[in-house]
Amino acid sequence: MNILFINPFQYLSINKFMHRVFPVANITPAYLASLIPAEHSVQIIDEAKEKIDYSIPADLVCISTITVNAKRAYAIAEKFRKQGKKVILGGSHVSAVPEEAKQYCDAIAIGNAETMMEQIIADTENNNLQPFYHNRIPDSIPQKATGTARSRWQTSILASRGCELNCSFCSSQNVFGKFYLQRKLDSVLRDIENLETKYINFLDDNFYGASATANEYYDQILAALERKRISWLAQVRLPVLTDTVLDKFKASGCAGVLIGFESINSDNSSSVGKKVDVDYFYKEIERIHRKGLGVVGSFIFGFDEDTPETLEKTVDFCISSGMELAAFSVLTPYPGTKSFNDLQSEGRILTTDWNLYDSDKVVFQPKNFTPEQLEAALVRATKRFYSATSIIKRMKFGMNYNTIKLYLLPNLLRKYAMIFR
């Protein structure tokens, strides 16, 4: 049987230049394709890299979705179905709105697709594809699962799946369930040993710190990274970054850490599900910088307690703390999240045009802004943080990263993205 996996693509407008020059490889299609028995022919098309050839022989077309690319996924599915091909949609978006998505395909995989693939393939072979396949929480990551995907400049590696947090704006646990799993250590170490790029982006929701046992696992990964002498980045929770951990990270080639601050407004603590303390943030960023590591901060604008003043203070904080990169987005209530359900019950969802759910557009009625005001505040914040003055002020030398390649170039790309957006 011929099986085709497709990753639909849609640029996020503010970050389009970053996506073109520094594309982050999507691992989902490769991960699922690796679980298909060897007697089947498998092909992957990542639309970020190549055009879709609709004439490819395929007995089953598997399309993964997130909300912003949902309409593109639906269009691709319909085009394949018109050719008589069987199409199944999976991913976070269709898992949250399966009845909507079912209009465009033959079947829906709701939740963790790897727990359903065996049955889906058997049903396709027997011409008995079911309309819905339902989520099970996996008890392990299969030994043969591919955990890497490569772009032209970096390799994405998955070491663990799942997250112990439960943030109101995140669909992960609502759609996929609460679990934390690690890949087999020897598989991860082999991936690192066989690397052909100079940079790694770990895709773990939370790299390091889940437990003492998890840390022993990551310590062996860090040792392998140190031997390989490679530069890497991962998303890490701030409380995990003790001096001891930072020393290990530095020795293993860590260029920086991605931290989901989300907000510096302490009134938003319940919404972000994390401790919010600006003085603490300042001290911790300074400590990370002293160790030579960079900080990439993630922030969300538009919580009910946010005001124009708090957003300005957020940009002040990002610049004065000297963080290397900041990703600003508006609160986007993805279907399947508590945020979406709460806003919908309050009559504040303004549109379900999924193309607008790109983290730049405001799709709900904010409390202290008009939608237009909040979108304008996002643009101002991004332009100010990535202004020439700010870039020069935040630039450092002698860090654990290449200042030109991993600081100046990404900053300039973001700056020029705002000019041509």
Side-chain angles (χ1 to χ4, degrees), residues 208 215 219 222 226 232 242-254:
Y208 213 92
N215 290 350
D219 282 342
L222 296 179
E226 185 172 359
W232 61 274
T242 64
D243 283 341
T244 299
V245 170
L246 287 172
D247 287 338
K248 291 179 181 179
F249 280 18
K250 181 177 182 178
S252 64
C254 180

Side-chain angles (χ1 to χ4, degrees), residues 132-176:
F132 298 101
Y133 292 86
H134 291 278
N135 181 63
R136 297 202 319 272
I137 295 178
D139 54 14
S140 65
I141 296 177
Q143 173 75 30
K144 66 177 183 177
T146 291
T148 66
R150 179 183 168 182
S151 69
R152 64 177 175 270
W153 75 281
Q154 63 91 41
T155 300
S156 295
I157 292 185
L158 179 73
S160 70
R161 284 196 60 210
C163 179
E164 64 271 32
L165 303 179
N166 192 21
C167 302
S168 64
F169 50 83
C170 179
S171 63
S172 179
Q173 288 191 13
N174 288 341
V175 170
F176 300 108

Side-chain angles (χ1 to χ4, degrees), residues 9 16 21 55 65 71 166 194 255 257 293 322 354 400 406 414:
F9 189 74
K16 62 183 178 181
V21 179
S55 67
T65 68
K71 293 180 76 171
N166 192 21
N194 294 334
V257 287
L293 275 61
W354 306 127
N400 216 41
L406 296 184
R414 300 233 180 193

Side-chain angles (χ1 to χ4, degrees), residues 1 18 32 43 68 76 106 108 112-113 142 175 211 221 248 275 294 322 338 359 366 372 376 385 395 415:
M1 191 164 69
M18 286 292 291
L32 294 176
Q43 187 167 348
V68 72
I76 295 169
D106 299 286
I108 299 291
N112 298 287
V175 170
S211 68
I221 292 175
K248 291 179 181 179
K275 176 182 178 181
K338 183 177 184 299
S359 76
E372 295 77 16
F385 184 79
M395 188 160 57
K415 172 181 172 60

Side-chain angles (χ1 to χ4, degrees), residues 32 56 58 146 184 196 209 220 241 282 305 376 400:
L32 294 176
I56 292 176
T146 291
K184 297 294 184 181
E196 296 180 359
Q220 295 184 71
L241 296 172
Y282 270 117
E305 303 304 322
N400 216 41

Side-chain angles (χ1 to χ4, degrees), residues 24 39 61 82 125 165 169 181 189 197 210 214 244 247 350 361 404 420:
V24 176
E39 63 265 26
V61 180
K82 286 179 180 178
E125 287 186 301
L165 303 179
F169 50 83
L181 301 171
L189 298 182
T197 62
T244 299
D247 287 338
L350 301 177
K361 310 293 190 310
I404 303 301
F420 298 108

Side-chain angles (χ1 to χ4, degrees), residues 36-274:
I36 305 300
E39 63 265 26
H40 301 289
S41 173
V42 179
Q43 187 167 348
I44 299 172
I45 294 178
D46 186 342
E47 204 178 15
K49 303 176 183 177
E50 59 184 309
K51 291 183 178 180
I52 297 173
D53 180 359
Y54 290 92
S55 67
I56 292 176
D59 301 293
L60 180 65
V61 180
C62 307
I63 306 175
S64 182
T65 68
I66 56 176
T67 298
V68 72
N69 71 19
K71 293 180 76 171
R72 177 60 185 154
Y74 295 162
I76 295 169
E78 286 192 303
K79 195 163 183 177
F80 274 113
R81 289 184 84 200
K82 286 179 180 178
Q83 298 181 3
K85 295 180 172 70
K86 294 293 184 182
V87 178
I88 183 166
L89 290 170
S92 60
H93 180 79
V94 302
S95 295
V97 290
E99 296 294 340
E100 172 197 279
K102 182 60 179 64
Q103 303 172 66
Y104 306 96
C105 62
D106 299 286
I108 299 291
I110 301 172
N112 298 287
E114 72 262 51
T115 66
M116 315 171 208
M117 286 306 301
E118 182 178 354
Q119 189 63 53
I120 290 169
I121 291 171
D123 289 349
T124 304
E125 287 186 301
N126 295 324
N127 197 29
N128 188 37
L129 196 62
Q130 300 299 302
F132 298 101
Y133 292 86
H134 291 278
N135 181 63
R136 297 202 319 272
I137 295 178
D139 54 14
S140 65
I141 296 177
Q143 173 75 30
K144 66 177 183 177
T146 291
T148 66
R150 179 183 168 182
S151 69
R152 64 177 175 270
W153 75 281
Q154 63 91 41
T155 300
S156 295
I157 292 185
L158 179 73
S160 70
R161 284 196 60 210
C163 179
E164 64 271 32
L165 303 179
N166 192 21
C167 302
S168 64
F169 50 83
C170 179
S171 63
S172 179
Q173 288 191 13
N174 288 341
V175 170
F176 300 108
K178 187 172 184 178
F179 62 91
Y180 179 77
L181 301 171
Q182 293 172 326
R183 285 178 63 209
K184 297 294 184 181
L185 180 62
D186 60 346
S187 297
V188 180
L189 298 182
R190 185 171 57 251
D191 288 342
I192 294 171
E193 181 60 30
N194 294 334
L195 281 172
E196 296 180 359
T197 62
K198 295 181 178 180
Y199 305 102
I200 293 177
N201 177 38
F202 281 99
L203 300 179
D204 303 36
D205 288 328
N206 286 298
F207 186 92
Y208 213 92
S211 68
T213 301
N215 290 350
E216 292 176 4
Y217 167 88
Y218 279 115
D219 282 342
Q220 295 184 71
I221 292 175
L222 296 179
L225 292 167
E226 185 172 359
R227 291 192 297 272
K228 190 71 174 179
R229 296 185 178 276
I230 200 161
S231 188
W232 61 274
L233 178 76
Q235 180 169 294
V236 189
R237 291 185 294 114
L238 200 52
V240 169
L241 296 172
T242 64
D243 283 341
T244 299
V245 170
L246 287 172
D247 287 338
K248 291 179 181 179
F249 280 18
K250 181 177 182 178
S252 64
C254 180
V257 287
L258 172 60
I259 298 173
F261 294 97
E262 319 311 352
S263 176
I264 65 165
N265 185 349
S266 59
D267 293 332
N268 289 328
S269 294
S270 60
S271 296
V272 302
K274 302 174 184 179

